[in-house]
Amino acid sequence: MIVRPAHPVDFPAIRTVVSAAFGRADEADMIDLVRTGGQGLVELVAEVDGAIAGHVLFSRMTSEPAALIAGLAPLAVDPGNQGCGIGSALARRGLEICRELGAVGSVVLGAPAYYGRFGFRRAPATITCRYASLEAFQALAFAAEAFARPMSLAYPPAFD
């Protein structure tokens, strides 16, 4: 397996993988809108035997006060390749790159048992977001004080 940045030539295969993983095209459409809007921060694919088998997108969250926060979504693995560590490899590498780019933290709306393995925990009460009341809304601080003070976060418009 190779984890690498996504390239425009990969976009059709990404659409196929994401649509198959979610059983619908909504998430693939969202990815297209994030790209078009220029709100993508990190986009990676996993190749297995030369074919795209997984994809992850991290978007730039709108933050008040201003801070670079990475929104992890979506993370998708082709159904025939699930359970082989592809999603974990994509998430871990993406989080590393977000840190390298200067992000102070990341948020995700997803299964706590799954994302907990990467260090995500229920988002602190200091974060105001339309998903803040959900147990699945989680945060991971890269900097010790990233979420220590009150902060308002919003996903890119493509998530609406």
Side-chain angles (χ1 to χ4, degrees), residues 27-86:
E27 286 77 8
D29 293 342
M30 180 186 64
I31 292 167
D32 291 342
L33 290 170
V34 169
R35 284 187 199 125
T36 307
Q39 294 129 345
L41 180 61
V42 175
E43 185 174 9
L44 302 173
V45 295
E47 278 186 36
V48 174
D49 298 328
I52 303 298
H55 171 267
V56 69
L57 176 67
F58 289 83
S59 300
R60 295 175 188 272
M61 301 289 290
T62 301
S63 169
E64 182 58 44
L68 182 55
I69 307 292
L72 191 170
L75 173 62
V77 176
D78 179 72
N81 287 289
Q82 291 178 0
C84 301
I86 293 170

Side-chain angles (χ1 to χ4, degrees), residues 68-70 95 99 103-107 118-124 126-127 138-148 151:
L68 182 55
I69 307 292
L95 290 166
R99 276 191 278 262
V104 297
S106 182
V107 294
F118 310 115
F120 284 94
R121 299 290 177 259
R122 174 97 188 241
T126 55
I127 298 176
Q138 301 160 79
L140 170 62
F142 301 148
E145 300 298 314
F147 302 118
M151 165 183 292

